[in-house]
Amino acid sequence: MTRMSSEFREKLEAIAEFSKRYLEKTGRTPILVGGQALDVYMLGERATQEIDMLAREDRAAGVLEEMGFTRVDRYFVRRTESSGIYFELLCEQEINNDSEATERVLEIDIDGTGDKVFRIIAPEDLVLDRLSACKHRKSFDDGLWAEVLLRNGLSGRYGDFDIGYIRRKASDPRYDVLANFEEIVARTGETIQTDGPDTASGGASGDRGEST
């Protein structure tokens, strides 16, 4: 990954360190979801403060404390020069309550060396997550971010991007967002035809792999 601020990089390195330590202790890999996952795909443009991880709290809490984090309400906090890093543990569960989504996670390698890596919800599943929040929780902003992700994905920013998967899942009762999805596709169609892959390079991409 390139073109990131020092504050954003510090967060990513904390996620990678947590992931490595958690794997060493549990043999399992946590997964980044939520707003910070969106930040990764937007290269830190949104500056989300909290980091939402799918991990067992009873095992992850000790890992974060070893890393210098202190529990404050539902967060684990470590102060930095600029502000702070906030982890929230969402327990170990399927992404979007969907085992297929969990199987599609990506691995992000911060430096390309294999030393600082973490797993993250796939962009297609993050689109579905944002669409669901827009429709079922009436979160207008999430609908806008779903559209941004979709535009970026279709322009080639995230590498292979499976719009057929999104369409199939959008009609699943667990999501029920097909109309929302098709509305965005119709609205962005002209842009997708004129914006080639060269217009949005440098985004987040990685290898797909199952969570362990």
Side-chain angles (χ1 to χ4, degrees):
M1 298 183 68
T2 58
R3 297 186 295 151
M4 64 180 78
S5 68
S6 58
E7 182 179 355
F8 182 51
R9 183 180 183 84
E10 188 174 14
K11 289 180 181 178
L12 297 188
E13 290 182 346
I15 295 167
E17 182 183 356
F18 168 72
S19 298
K20 181 178 181 179
R21 288 176 178 243
Y22 186 84
L23 176 61
E24 290 172 349
K25 283 187 175 291
T26 68
R28 301 182 67 80
T29 307
I31 302 171
L32 178 66
V33 296
Q36 191 64 54
L38 181 55
D39 266 11
V40 170
Y41 288 117
M42 298 304 299
L43 292 175
E45 295 173 11
R46 292 181 66 253
T48 300
Q49 197 166 42
E50 65 267 16
I51 298 167
D52 296 330
M53 301 293 299
L54 300 183
R56 283 183 52 177
E57 183 172 345
D58 60 338
R59 306 296 297 275
V63 172
L64 289 169
E65 288 167 357
E66 290 173 0
M67 291 171 58
F69 285 82
T70 301
R71 183 157 200 161
V72 180
D73 296 324
R74 70 177 189 273
Y75 298 109
F76 289 83
V77 182
R78 187 174 70 191
R79 301 297 178 186
T80 64
E81 290 185 5
S82 55
S83 57
I85 300 175
Y86 296 75
F87 274 84
E88 183 173 7
L89 305 174
L90 304 181
C91 80
E92 201 170 75
Q93 58 185 299
E94 303 285 9
I95 293 174
N96 295 344
N97 295 314
D98 185 342
S99 60
E100 188 175 4
T102 304
E103 292 171 358
R104 300 179 72 261
V105 295
L106 294 180
E107 187 173 87
I108 298 293
D109 187 338
I110 300 173
D111 295 323
T113 63
D115 293 330
K116 299 176 180 178
V117 300
F118 59 89
R119 288 190 173 178
I120 184 173
I121 181 175
E124 298 93 337
D125 293 297
L126 190 54
V127 169
L128 290 163
D129 173 68
R130 300 292 105 166
L131 286 175
S132 295
C134 177
K135 178 177 180 178
H136 304 299
R137 298 203 300 269
K138 310 302 181 185
S139 175
F140 179 71
D141 284 351
D142 281 313
L144 295 177
W145 285 115
E147 182 167 335
V148 171
L149 284 167
L150 192 59
R151 287 175 181 270
N152 287 347
L154 291 170
S155 71
R157 183 167 179 172
Y158 308 137
D160 293 335
F161 189 78
D162 192 347
I163 190 171
Y165 169 84
I166 301 177
R167 181 175 283 112
R168 173 170 63 85
K169 285 292 185 178
S171 63
D172 187 308
R174 285 173 294 188
Y175 299 97
D176 189 26
V177 292
L178 183 60
N180 307 72
F181 168 71
E182 297 292 4
E183 179 182 343
I184 291 175
V185 170
R187 187 162 60 244
T188 61
E190 183 178 350
T191 302
I192 293 165
Q193 293 171 11
T194 57
D195 287 354
D198 293 339
T199 64
S201 60
S205 62
D207 298 324
R208 295 191 190 276
E210 295 185 9
S211 174
T212 58

